Amino acid sequence: GSNLQLSFTNRYGFACDLQVSTNLATGSWTNVPGHEGMSGTGARTNLTLTNGASANPSAFYRLVEYR
C-alpha cells in the first residue's frame, strides 16, 4: 500500500485531533484512530498513516485544535 506522510506544527499548550472526510459537501468528519488528543509542543510533528493513501485516495484531512 501507499503510506501517507503528514507534517504540521501545532501550538504549544493545545491538543489536536487528526480528522478525515471523504466528502466535503456533507461536512462529516471522523477522528483518525490513534491520532486523537495529540499534545501541542510548538514543534513540527511528522505522522505516517500506513496505507493511508491507498485506503482513501480522495480523502481530506484536517487538524482540530482545542485546550
Side-chain angles (χ1 to χ4, degrees):
S2 297
N3 293 339
L4 180 62
Q5 302 285 327
L6 300 172
S7 180
F8 57 89
T9 303
N10 52 358
R11 293 187 290 173
Y12 179 82
F14 285 74
C16 66
D17 296 336
L18 179 63
Q19 297 185 334
V20 63
S21 177
T22 56
N23 185 341
L24 294 179
T26 65
S28 176
W29 293 87
T30 57
N31 287 342
V32 176
H35 299 290
E36 305 99 345
M38 296 179 285
S39 295
T41 62
R44 177 178 291 246
T45 300
N46 298 303
L47 297 177
T48 300
L49 300 181
T50 304
N51 295 321
S54 60
N56 279 322
S58 60
F60 300 90
Y61 292 88
R62 73 178 183 182
L63 287 174
V64 177
E65 284 187 323
Y66 56 90
R67 285 195 185 254

